Amino acid sequence: MKKFMNAAEDFVHDMIEGVYRANKDKLEYVPEYNILYRKDIPEDKVVIMQGSGSGHEPAHIMCVGKGMLDAACPGNVFAAPPMDYVYECTKRVANKAGVLHIVNNYQGDRMSWDMAKEMAEADGITIKTLIVNDDVSVQDSLYTVGRRGVAGNFFVIKCCAAAAERGKNLDEVLAIGERVNSQVRSMGMALTSCIPPAKGTPIFEIGDDEIEIGIGIHGEPGRRRDKIKPAKDIVEEMFEAIYTDLPFAKGDRVAVMVNGMGGTPISELYLLFNEVAKKCEEKGLTIVREYVGNYCTSLEMEGFSLTLLKLDAEMEELLADPAEIPIHVF
Amino acid sequence: MKKFMNAAEDFVHDMIEGVYRANKDKLEYVPEYNILYRKDIPEDKVVIMQGSGSGHEPAHIMCVGKGMLDAACPGNVFAAPPMDYVYECTKRVANKAGVLHIVNNYQGDRMSWDMAKEMAEADGITIKTLIVNDDVSVQDSLYTVGRRGVAGNFFVIKCCAAAAERGKNLDEVLAIGERVNSQVRSMGMALTSCIPPAKGTPIFEIGDDEIEIGIGIHGEPGRRRDKIKPAKDIVEEMFEAIYTDLPFAKGDRVAVMVNGMGGTPISELYLLFNEVAKKCEEKGLTIVREYVGNYCTSLEMEGFSLTLLKLDAEMEELLADPAEIPIHVF
């Protein structure tokens, strides 16, 4: 295993500390609980929180900022945050407008967040929970009852956060998030496995000419194995699976995300986007916004996921709102 | 070889077409010459151009936009753009304010750009050339006389482009770029080799526990091989090489770039940045701006480069100016 780290047990801490060091003016960091939160959360704005396993960066520890998450409390790599992390985080950021917990649908995460919610509610904090489950690949999975939550999560966060910044109340923000989740669909695939730092070996074996269609972001099995094939054929299969699931229809306005799994160069992601854009044209979908890059990764896995969100007028406005994240581009 | 592509010979075209499809409102694309350029280049603003081999994305084809490049004309993967691409691109974007060619120091690139410059000058176009050579790893290299140009290129482009947007003339923009180039230093290293699409095999062999310190972005040999070691020790070696080269000194204000080589997850890049920030603190350098992500890559290579730029007041202002690039983040 070759990875940039000091020791496997310090991987998550050292990474979060890096994000914090780059953003000390805007963020607070509580190392004992892996908590990163905004210094300037308004008292009257609904608070948006998330925390899941680490290893999916920039989701979600690198998404704390005005117009995105107010706080994040990740667990170790591919491990849900312990309930006391979530509880502690909730207590630190709660205000009178209430807190929205956005939770990706994995049983480990749900257990931590459910219990933390109970504990925080006992302290008088108002909390609503929103479950994200956008992955069409499989029904039930290794760590999930129902569908898994993957990159569609970003659209949920962005719309909820923008609505909260616009002054919507907790029920309204929850309703928007639920609408986004109901209209977003994703599917992933992999060329290679990643290697979790503490494990030191790949989480699954895959041949030099094989791909896994419908992979999960923790290496959960997908729909099937196939031989490597042209990008347009891979996109064709995934696009059809997503398109028919909602289903999308001619005339829909959509946001499209081509999400790298961590080890895929951006050249290949734009090449894939090109094929996705052709499919949208063929189907009569109008791409209103496109997102091409690494959003919800699986460490250094080579692969990508495709996400389509069917937009309405409000979502279009919310996605276009400004967001300050702790990652510079230029 | 597992890559997202349709055919190796279409790799560059399909990727650029993807960038174009995502930005049809702002960019023009000329497929015969791999040219991407801004629709709205002002008539009285110095034009900023670059083009080198493909495979280093987002450098530089994904950096065409207001406040960054006005035009890019890359060659094939790891191949300089042919002189007629550069000539054609120059003709299409030239205006009365003149054109700045920013060229990374590789002999193949220099030949194309020199000849294209002569051809365009014969047409009455005013051109200045700026050579970027920020890599401290080795003096002379496989494809280079002198030092190689790598990720420091971004600071040169950003400052030149911002100065041009502010209305500086060609000589002034060139002078700023030369000052940035004289004060920026980089060094790269790799855990793995990449595989160029047309070659289909790695460009170099490296052991499962080996790293190459001082690697070039086309796999050119670096200073030495070593065994994989803790991130802080890798950073220590590279930081010292860069720090002593300028040399930097206590009290300097700097911009820092931790640049992924394409296959390195952003979690590891922030972990590396954390170590770099500690070194800066130890040396008494103030980090004014940090850049952590993929800027100048080598396809899917796992590795990173470190860049430090010693800032002056003008550079600080120019780096903070807005830039519109064809890549969404949120």
Side-chain angles (χ1 to χ4, degrees):
Chain A
M1 175 182 55
K2 290 193 284 189
K3 262 183 207 303
F4 295 113
M5 62 183 188
N6 293 309
E9 62 272 23
D10 298 329
F11 185 82
V12 171
H13 166 268
D14 290 356
M15 175 223 350
I16 303 178
E17 194 172 86
V19 178
Y20 171 62
R21 269 185 210 275
N23 296 277
K24 279 188 177 172
D25 51 332
K26 291 182 182 165
L27 302 179
E28 295 287 353
Y29 173 39
V30 187
E32 312 88 275
Y33 297 102
N34 288 353
I35 299 172
L36 208 57
Y37 64 100
R38 280 175 64 187
K39 278 185 176 170
D40 61 343
I41 306 173
E43 256 309 302
D44 54 353
K45 186 195 79 74
V46 171
V47 172
I48 314 289
M49 263 183 69
Q50 185 161 87
S52 187
S54 290
H56 306 300
E57 292 71 27
H60 39 77
I61 194 72
M62 298 173 191
C63 305
V64 179
K66 188 178 178 188
M68 287 293 288
L69 295 174
D70 294 297
C73 58
N76 218 322
V77 171
F78 296 173
M83 72 180 89
D84 51 324
Y85 290 26
V86 180
Y87 174 52
E88 183 67 28
C89 185
T90 304
K91 280 195 297 182
R92 282 175 184 256
V93 297
N95 62 15
K96 62 180 196 293
V99 179
L100 181 66
H101 284 176
I102 301 180
V103 183
N104 286 303
N105 190 34
Y106 299 94
Q107 296 311 97
D109 289 292
R110 293 188 69 158
M111 185 191 294
S112 281
W113 288 79
D114 280 353
M115 293 184 178
K117 178 169 182 275
E118 265 185 48
M119 293 158 76
E121 282 173 339
D123 293 343
I125 298 173
T126 305
I127 303 172
K128 299 277 183 182
T129 301
L130 172 51
I131 303 293
V132 179
N133 60 350
D134 56 312
D135 189 343
V136 307
S137 305
V138 292
Q139 187 67 27
D140 301 336
S141 186
L142 269 185
Y143 314 115
T144 305
V145 176
R147 287 181 162 183
R148 300 177 300 226
V150 289
N153 183 37
F154 266 90
F155 293 122
V156 176
I157 295 174
K158 181 68 174 74
C159 289
C160 288
E165 292 289 346
R166 284 172 176 229
K168 300 280 186 190
N169 69 32
L170 183 55
D171 286 327
E172 291 166 334
V173 171
L174 174 66
I176 286 162
E178 286 179 336
R179 209 164 76 241
V180 173
N181 185 58
S182 74
Q183 295 185 197
V184 68
R185 295 293 186 275
S186 300
M187 190 168 180
M189 62 79 64
L191 304 181
T192 64
S193 171
C194 64
I195 299 178
K199 184 168 186 291
T201 55
I203 40 176
F204 61 89
E205 295 298 327
I206 187 163
D208 280 346
D209 59 350
E210 273 185 326
I211 61 176
E212 171 98 17
I213 301 277
I215 193 91
I217 55 174
H218 314 93
E220 302 98 315
R223 291 184 171 186
R224 64 188 196 87
R225 288 273 166 112
D226 197 353
K227 296 291 176 190
I228 180 76
K229 53 187 184 180
K232 69 176 163 30
D233 297 336
I234 295 173
V235 166
E236 170 77 20
E237 178 172 353
M238 292 167 66
F239 193 97
E240 289 294 335
I242 290 168
Y243 185 87
T244 53
D245 191 272
L246 188 59
F248 291 84
K250 190 174 172 180
D252 283 350
R253 293 169 64 82
V254 295
V256 167
M257 180 180 279
V258 174
N259 165 59
M261 288 292 192
T264 313
I266 198 165
S267 49
E268 296 181 35
L269 297 178
Y270 269 96
L271 189 151
L272 289 163
F273 172 74
N274 194 40
E275 300 302 329
V276 172
K278 287 186 216 167
K279 284 295 299 180
C280 286
E281 209 171 295
E282 178 194 316
K283 296 284 192 181
L285 304 182
T286 300
I287 300 176
V288 177
R289 293 179 78 84
E290 85 293 331
Y291 301 75
V292 184
N294 294 316
Y295 294 89
C296 180
T297 62
S298 185
L299 296 167
E300 78 280 24
M301 183 186 280
E302 289 178 59
F304 81 106
S305 64
L306 173 62
T307 299
L308 290 180
L309 167 63
K310 178 176 170 170
L311 296 165
D312 59 31
E314 187 177 18
M315 287 181 209
E316 284 193 32
E317 279 186 24
L318 294 171
L319 287 181
D321 273 2
E324 292 173 14
I325 50 155
I327 309 180
H328 273 176
V329 181
F330 289 93
Chain B
M1 174 182 54
K2 290 194 283 190
K3 261 183 209 303
F4 296 113
M5 63 182 187
N6 293 309
E9 61 271 24
D10 298 329
F11 184 83
V12 171
H13 166 269
D14 290 356
M15 172 218 4
I16 302 179
E17 195 173 84
V19 178
Y20 172 62
R21 270 185 209 274
N23 296 277
K24 280 188 176 172
D25 51 332
K26 292 183 182 165
L27 302 179
E28 296 286 355
Y29 174 37
V30 188
E32 313 87 274
Y33 298 102
N34 288 355
I35 299 173
L36 209 58
Y37 64 100
R38 281 176 63 188
K39 279 185 175 170
D40 61 344
I41 306 172
E43 256 308 303
D44 54 353
K45 185 195 81 72
V46 172
V47 172
I48 314 289
M49 264 183 70
Q50 184 162 89
S52 188
S54 291
H56 306 302
E57 292 71 27
H60 40 79
I61 195 73
M62 298 174 190
C63 305
V64 179
K66 188 177 177 189
M68 287 292 288
L69 294 175
D70 294 297
C73 57
N76 217 322
V77 171
F78 297 172
M83 72 181 89
D84 50 324
Y85 289 27
V86 181
Y87 174 50
E88 183 68 28
C89 185
T90 304
K91 278 196 298 183
R92 282 175 183 255
V93 297
N95 62 15
K96 62 179 197 290
V99 179
L100 181 66
H101 284 175
I102 301 180
V103 183
N104 286 304
N105 190 36
Y106 299 95
Q107 296 311 97
D109 288 292
R110 294 189 67 158
M111 187 191 295
S112 280
W113 288 79
D114 279 353
M115 291 184 180
K117 178 168 182 274
E118 264 185 49
M119 292 159 76
E121 282 172 340
D123 294 341
I125 298 171
T126 305
I127 304 172
K128 299 278 182 180
T129 302
L130 173 50
I131 304 293
V132 179
N133 60 350
D134 55 313
D135 189 343
V136 307
S137 305
V138 292
Q139 187 66 28
D140 301 336
S141 185
L142 269 185
Y143 314 115
T144 306
V145 176
R147 287 179 164 186
R148 301 178 299 227
V150 288
N153 184 35
F154 267 89
F155 293 122
V156 176
I157 293 174
K158 181 68 174 72
C159 289
C160 287
E165 292 289 346
R166 285 173 175 227
K168 300 281 186 188
N169 68 33
L170 184 55
D171 285 329
E172 292 166 333
V173 171
L174 174 66
I176 287 163
E178 286 179 335
R179 210 165 76 240
V180 173
N181 184 59
S182 76
Q183 295 185 198
V184 69
R185 295 291 186 277
S186 300
M187 191 167 177
M189 62 80 63
L191 304 181
T192 64
S193 171
C194 63
I195 298 179
K199 185 170 187 290
T201 55
I203 40 176
F204 61 89
E205 296 298 328
I206 187 162
D208 279 346
D209 60 349
E210 274 185 326
I211 61 176
E212 171 97 19
I213 301 276
I215 193 89
I217 54 174
H218 314 92
E220 302 98 315
R223 290 185 172 186
R224 66 189 194 87
R225 289 271 166 112
D226 198 351
K227 297 294 178 190
I228 180 73
K229 53 187 184 179
K232 68 175 164 31
D233 297 336
I234 295 173
V235 166
E236 170 78 20
E237 179 172 353
M238 290 167 67
F239 192 98
E240 289 294 336
I242 289 168
Y243 184 89
T244 53
D245 190 274
L246 189 59
F248 291 83
K250 189 174 171 180
D252 283 348
R253 292 169 65 83
V254 295
V256 168
M257 179 179 280
V258 174
N259 165 60
M261 288 293 190
T264 313
I266 197 164
S267 48
E268 295 181 34
L269 297 179
Y270 269 97
L271 189 152
L272 289 163
F273 171 74
N274 194 40
E275 299 303 329
V276 172
K278 288 186 214 167
K279 284 296 299 181
C280 286
E281 209 172 296
E282 178 194 317
K283 295 285 193 182
L285 303 182
T286 301
I287 300 176
V288 177
R289 293 180 78 85
E290 85 293 332
Y291 301 76
V292 183
N294 293 316
Y295 294 90
C296 181
T297 63
S298 185
L299 296 167
E300 77 281 22
M301 182 186 281
E302 289 179 58
F304 81 105
S305 64
L306 172 62
T307 299
L308 291 179
L309 167 63
K310 178 176 170 170
L311 296 165
D312 58 32
E314 186 176 20
M315 288 181 209
E316 284 193 33
E317 281 188 23
L318 295 171
L319 287 182
D321 273 1
E324 294 173 14
I325 51 156
I327 309 180
H328 273 176
V329 180
F330 290 90

